[in-house]
Amino acid sequence: MTTSRNQLHLGVAIDGHGAHPAAWRTLDDAAARGLWDGTVTTRHAQRAAQGLLDFVTLDDALAVQDGGEGRLRGRVDALLTLAKVGPLTSGVGLIPTITTTHTEPFNVSKNIATLDWVSLGRGGWRVEVSTSTAEADHFGRHQPMSEAEAWAEAADAVEVVRRLWDSWEDDAIIRDRPTGRFIDRDRVHYIDFEGARFNVRGPSIVPRSPQGQPLVLVDACGQAATTLAVATADLIVIDAETGAAAHERVSALRTALSDAGRDPAEVFILVRADVVFGATSYEASARLAVLDRHEPWAAHPGRLRRLGTACAFAELAMDWQAEHDINGFVLAPAVLATDLGRIVDELVPTLQAAGGFRKQYTGVTLREHFGLARPTSRYATASAGSS
Amino acid sequence: MSTSRKQIHLAAHFPGVNSTTVWSDPASGSQIDFASFVHLAQTAERGKFDFFFLAEGLRLREHRGRIFDLDVVGRPDSLTVLAALAGLTTRLGLAGTLNTTFNEPFELARQFASLDHLSGGRAAWNAVTSPDSFTGENFRRGGFLDPADRYERATEFIATVRQLWDSWDDDAVLADAYHGVFVPDDRIHPFSHSGAEFDIHGQFDVPRSPQGQPVQIQAGDSDGGRELASRYADVIFSRHASLREGKAFFDDVKGRLAKYGRLPSDLKIIPAATVVLGDTEAEATERARHLREQQVSPQGAIAFLEQIWGRDLSDHDPDGPLPTFDPDAAGLASITRGRVRHEKDPFAVATKWREVAEANQLSIRGLIIEMTTRTAFVGTALQVADRIDEYVQSDAADGYILVPHLTPHGLDDFVDTVVPLLQERGSYRADYTGTTLRDHLDLRVPARVADGSAE
């Protein structure tokens, strides 16, 4: 076991102004509007980096958000937003959602590889599918897919993306003046993926990125998504309302991972949690009550939600890690401006004091935060003999 | 400062996958590292350039059945790099090529609208068409386009993208916390398009961006390409950088605008050009000669010749004479893939090349160096400033997109020495006067077309 397994890993969802549907109403108008140019998101990512968090996630979809006039509506592309954030931050990992149902795996591969280049090794990918009729109508290429169908296709997309990330070996660029060769083409590989739904020839146009393989995050909600998570995810995010539920879920996943021939030590299981913090438990509840008066924050079935002090959450986190074999949490703060501050200023120091969280970034890449080595390209051995 | 002088527009093209780039020079840095992009972009912004441009490649080129390894190979994704540069620049326009064949209007529209938001109104899209199934092998949809249909798809694509960009009201986002209204329902207008290539409808998900519509660039040189540009483009790239060819292209394209109800100033013509500077004219000329030798390596010269001859010529000496036999017409179609071909008749080219080589006593490499020399501004800073200004003032161009030889320092000297001379004579801005790329290009902000019906 690597030392990082004794440490908690923390990610935070920095979507909009917070996970509560009325989060934007706590801000003045200008701040509520200032989402599109990425400044709000940059500020939140910088705050997360101050707290030495492992990563931030930014969600995306190919349609306007549901919920009507009272909800925050409108998007800017999550990958491009985090690309802007990349050079303006250091330390914190950057994980945008990119859906696979209506996009090209070749493009997804070069997008995330390039995010990894511009952030010097902090890129990741949260895989998601599109099953809505609205999204299908925006592309007009096929009827909406079922969850099962869409996730099966996503599995092909992830396989293609991972192969493309490996299609250039690390030392493929040789710039050899005597022979005039810029690359050693024995070290650049066709991937020749042939699936039920599409084929991709390769190689990528992007040389292998700083991490080699950026981290792939999958929310294991539902059977189809769980299958993909077990097959290929580096970070698996689960819902669990109680320690017992987490325990059961984690042991099932670890068994499945072993059965799939994967090293369970190289896969990290994180619990998603809605959080509302206050100086006291009462204050946290009062804050939520004020927000809920605008619009109630519907609880996601089976998802952990905690109102209270950051200190109390720290206790829960360390307890779940010790007792239930989880590796950490992905926090969805009700209001980022408030709750992210409490995470950085209170939750993290409490965990640090208890020896449960890093006191500084010990690496520069996202993989390093998880103690994961930089993998050799899957194609490297093939050419080692011939070159 | 004289206000009567026509203003020059300058842009910077990051040197990458083409033979202009001299990667073998000891002063050449990485073509891949983000730091190289940052340096060139910040240099262009220091020089008050209109925009920074990244080309696109979706399949590594192949030559004689293998990946071509003699030029720069590989590049990061353009849009992702441009978004990353948005946070490190404040005025510079950010332009990228995206293909209309291997993308869908909804996704591309949201990407450029996003870049426009992230950069505060500095995004530009160079729309290119590609019919080739070779590139299509990297895409799930494959290469399905009949070459004859490529401009039809491009036209329909651009019209649809514009409709999407216009589908939110300018002031759609109310963010009225008191009444709890973020965006009123009636400010997001549904879109619907049904045509030969696309049948889509719904609601666009990105609010109208700072420029209303990101700047549209076109690069086509054929009649179809020029027509498409005259109808839709704000900027057209060309290969006609010489005075005579430049003027002919300028007159032709500007002459097409009236029938679309557009003014000559609505479309800026910006040929690609290289610059070689020296303290003296002789030094610049010598430097240009040396550069050409670096650009055309012995192996590169043979590969170039093989593209015309359509067959393996690796047994030929680059410093020896041209082949005495004729090109192999059958081999031409497949010898190089993933590269735009400009030579139409290989037999005529071969005959002409043999004549030139014989008349000038040129070896294979010497000939390739001679025949592939691009139009360049070569001379002292003063000479180059004079010529650029003269060409623009005499309507051979509205400005130039400069393709430096070296990464990432290739424009340092130009910005330090030529730009101040252009500024002195009142032909070039002393500082940015606006914040958006449309401001820099002196283009009007297009009014939103309500319920725009793309034909």
Side-chain angles (χ1 to χ4, degrees):
Chain A
M1 287 250 174
T2 60
T3 53
S4 78
R5 299 195 78 80
N6 306 321
Q7 299 278 303
L8 273 165
H9 295 280
L10 291 178
V12 62
I14 55 169
D15 302 305
H17 295 290
H20 195 289
W24 69 271
R25 298 181 67 170
T26 64
L27 306 164
D28 63 59
D29 288 1
R33 257 194 233 98
L35 269 179
W36 321 121
D37 66 5
T39 14
V40 167
T41 306
T42 302
R43 197 162 62 231
H44 293 144
Q46 287 169 338
R47 199 82 175 91
Q50 281 171 5
L52 309 175
L53 304 191
D54 291 77
F55 61 87
V56 294
T57 62
L58 194 60
D59 198 11
D60 209 350
L62 297 168
V64 175
Q65 296 89 333
D66 291 333
E69 295 185 332
R71 293 282 183 89
L72 192 153
R73 289 193 294 184
R75 300 178 187 277
V76 278
D77 186 271
L79 173 272
L80 296 179
T81 304
L82 289 186
K84 179 178 179 180
V85 170
L88 304 176
T89 51
S90 63
V92 69
L94 306 169
I95 308 185
T97 297
I98 305 183
T99 55
T100 57
T101 313
H102 302 292
T103 56
E104 287 282 354
F106 189 83
N107 289 338
V108 176
S109 161
K110 68 189 170 82
N111 286 337
I112 300 291
T114 304
L115 176 64
D116 205 39
W117 276 106
V118 303
S119 64
L120 305 177
R122 293 181 287 125
W125 174 28
R126 178 166 173 263
V127 183
E128 191 48 88
V129 298
S130 309
T131 53
S132 74
T133 307
E135 286 166 300
D137 288 343
H138 293 162
F139 288 81
R141 285 174 45 224
H142 51 67
Q143 295 299 308
M145 283 187 187
S146 69
E147 287 270 330
E149 233 181 323
W151 280 105
E153 187 190 58
D156 283 352
V158 176
E159 174 65 16
V160 168
V161 168
R162 283 198 181 279
R163 285 195 201 177
L164 288 167
W165 285 341
D166 275 351
S167 62
W168 289 58
E169 293 182 41
D170 291 324
D171 48 5
I173 295 180
I174 52 172
R175 301 170 76 107
D176 186 52
R177 292 191 186 96
T179 60
R181 293 180 305 148
F182 187 79
I183 56 165
D184 175 355
R185 49 194 175 187
D186 289 334
R187 300 181 205 174
V188 178
H189 304 272
Y190 296 99
I191 67 161
D192 285 324
F193 175 85
E194 293 183 7
R197 299 161 193 83
F198 52 81
N199 304 332
V200 175
R201 175 99 165 106
S204 177
I205 57 158
V206 186
R208 200 151 188 263
S209 75
Q211 293 184 105
Q213 291 277 327
L215 294 189
V216 172
L217 180 152
V218 175
D219 277 63
C221 46
Q223 189 49 51
T226 302
T227 303
L228 173 63
V230 167
T232 189
D234 303 296
L235 308 178
I236 300 179
V237 181
I238 61 168
D239 278 329
E241 253 179 321
T242 63
H247 200 101
E248 192 180 326
R249 195 78 213 282
V250 171
S251 64
L253 281 170
R254 298 253 186 243
T255 305
L257 286 164
S258 292
D259 291 349
R262 303 190 67 198
D263 178 356
E266 293 202 338
V267 182
F268 294 79
I269 301 175
L270 311 171
V271 178
R272 189 171 292 282
D274 296 338
V275 291
V276 189
F277 292 121
T280 61
S281 172
Y282 173 78
E283 187 195 317
S285 301
R287 280 188 57 223
L288 181 60
V290 169
L291 288 163
D292 277 353
R293 211 173 299 146
H294 295 304
E295 181 181 345
W297 191 10
H300 191 282
R303 179 166 300 169
L304 179 65
R305 177 174 291 180
R306 275 288 177 273
L307 325 177
T309 64
C311 212
F313 191 86
E315 276 175 37
L316 173 138
M318 288 185 290
D319 179 54
W320 282 32
Q321 186 204 18
E323 302 299 324
H324 307 304
D325 196 24
I326 64 152
N327 301 112
F329 292 85
V330 179
L331 304 175
V335 178
L336 282 160
T338 310
D339 295 300
L340 181 55
R342 299 260 186 196
I343 291 168
V344 171
D345 297 333
E346 298 171 15
L347 173 61
V348 165
T350 307
L351 293 170
Q352 286 170 328
F357 196 70
R358 67 175 68 87
K359 294 202 168 74
Q360 58 188 39
Y361 284 119
T362 52
V364 296
T365 72
L366 178 55
R367 292 189 74 90
E368 285 167 349
H369 299 340
F370 284 90
L372 290 170
R374 186 172 186 281
T376 310
S377 160
R378 73 194 62 195
Y379 301 105
T381 2
S383 74
S386 68
S387 61
Chain B
M1 187 173 99
S2 160
T3 50
S4 61
R5 286 188 80 77
K6 188 178 164 189
Q7 293 297 297
I8 298 167
H9 297 278
L10 294 176
H13 179 170
F14 186 85
V17 182
N18 62 60
S19 58
T20 305
T21 308
V22 176
W23 59 262
S24 58
D25 191 287
S28 170
S30 171
Q31 279 77 27
I32 312 295
D33 286 347
F34 182 56
S36 292
F37 293 85
V38 174
H39 180 88
L40 189 71
Q42 291 182 338
T43 302
E45 186 162 80
R46 186 160 60 83
K48 317 298 177 195
F49 281 34
D50 286 22
F51 63 92
F52 174 85
F53 170 70
L54 293 176
E56 181 184 54
L58 298 172
R59 174 100 191 242
L60 301 184
R61 296 176 298 168
E62 289 180 5
H63 183 69
R64 282 171 43 208
R66 298 198 64 192
I67 292 166
F68 187 67
D69 57 359
L70 300 176
D71 279 344
V72 172
V73 184
R75 57 177 116 207
D77 175 63
S78 300
L79 273 173
T80 312
V81 167
L82 293 173
L85 290 171
L88 302 175
T89 52
T90 59
R91 290 289 179 269
L92 184 68
L94 301 167
T97 299
L98 250 75
N99 201 293
T100 54
T101 308
F102 302 109
N103 287 291
E104 297 294 328
F106 190 92
E107 189 181 18
L108 183 140
R110 82 193 295 273
Q111 287 169 327
F112 276 102
S114 295
L115 182 62
D116 205 43
H117 277 293
L118 292 167
S119 63
R122 297 185 281 135
W125 171 34
N126 177 36
V128 299
T129 63
S130 163
D132 74 289
S133 56
F134 176 70
T135 304
E137 287 177 355
N138 280 337
F139 293 88
R140 57 201 285 172
R141 59 174 63 69
F144 54 82
L145 195 59
D146 186 322
D149 294 338
R150 56 193 222 154
Y151 282 115
E152 276 168 44
R153 180 175 167 101
T155 304
E156 190 178 330
F157 197 116
I158 291 171
T160 308
V161 164
R162 291 193 169 195
Q163 193 188 351
L164 293 170
W165 283 339
D166 274 355
S167 61
W168 287 51
D169 284 346
D170 284 312
D171 56 355
V173 180
L174 199 61
D176 178 350
Y178 184 77
H179 296 98
V181 178
F182 193 78
V183 180
D185 283 336
D186 62 4
R187 293 188 187 184
I188 310 175
H189 303 272
F191 70 87
S192 177
H193 170 89
S194 185
E197 294 286 340
F198 310 108
D199 185 3
I200 59 176
H201 64 274
Q203 274 187 331
F204 192 48
D205 60 350
V206 186
R208 198 159 192 262
S209 72
Q211 293 189 103
Q213 306 216 338
V215 167
Q216 184 76 55
I217 305 175
Q218 254 319 120
D221 194 39
S222 65
D223 190 62
R226 293 181 189 200
E227 207 58 38
L228 185 65
S230 305
R231 185 170 177 184
Y232 287 116
D234 302 305
V235 172
I236 182 167
F237 291 153
S238 91
R239 295 185 290 122
H240 308 295
S242 75
L243 189 61
R244 197 175 54 82
E245 289 184 350
K247 280 175 122 158
F249 183 82
F250 191 99
D251 291 342
D252 176 74
V253 171
K254 297 259 181 179
R256 297 174 188 236
L257 292 167
K259 67 170 171 277
Y260 299 113
R262 306 183 70 201
L263 301 171
S265 58
D266 288 342
L267 174 61
K268 299 295 189 285
I269 297 178
I270 302 183
T274 58
V275 174
V276 183
L277 295 169
D279 289 339
T280 63
E281 187 176 354
E283 186 189 309
T285 306
E286 170 55 23
R287 189 171 288 168
R289 192 197 59 75
H290 179 61
L291 268 167
R292 294 299 298 149
E293 281 186 4
Q294 288 180 304
Q295 286 166 339
V296 182
S297 67
Q299 301 86 350
I302 295 293
F304 203 96
L305 201 66
E306 287 171 340
Q307 288 179 51
I308 303 297
W309 257 259
R311 57 190 286 175
D312 181 355
L313 298 174
S314 57
D315 58 346
H316 281 62
D317 178 1
D319 295 321
L322 268 68
T324 50
F325 44 83
D326 279 335
D328 173 2
L332 279 168
S334 62
I335 190 152
T336 295
R337 305 210 289 172
R339 185 200 293 270
V340 181
R341 302 189 68 90
H342 298 301
E343 301 82 12
K344 302 297 178 211
D345 178 0
F347 297 98
V349 173
T351 307
K352 184 181 161 209
W353 283 15
R354 281 208 204 94
E355 285 167 11
V356 173
E358 205 154 307
N360 299 289
Q361 297 289 302
L362 294 171
S363 66
I364 289 175
R365 187 177 177 207
L367 177 89
I368 301 297
I369 289 172
E370 186 65 27
M371 299 315 292
T372 60
T373 298
R374 274 160 233 270
T375 308
F377 293 108
V378 180
T380 65
L382 186 61
Q383 288 173 321
V384 168
D386 279 343
R387 270 178 67 211
I388 289 178
D389 196 27
E390 181 205 336
Y391 283 24
V392 171
Q393 300 307 328
S394 54
D395 284 346
D398 289 311
Y400 293 91
I401 175 161
L402 304 179
V403 193
H405 307 99
L406 290 176
T407 313
H409 294 283
L411 284 181
D412 293 8
D413 286 349
F414 182 90
V415 166
D416 289 335
T417 63
V418 179
V419 164
L421 294 170
L422 295 172
Q423 289 168 327
E424 262 173 37
R425 66 193 65 194
S427 304
Y428 190 68
R429 66 174 72 94
D431 200 352
Y432 291 110
T433 54
T435 58
T436 70
L437 178 54
R438 283 189 176 277
D439 291 338
H440 308 339
L441 287 164
D442 200 21
L443 296 169
R444 295 172 293 176
V445 175
R448 188 183 156 264
V449 179
D451 304 318
S453 54
E455 60 274 60

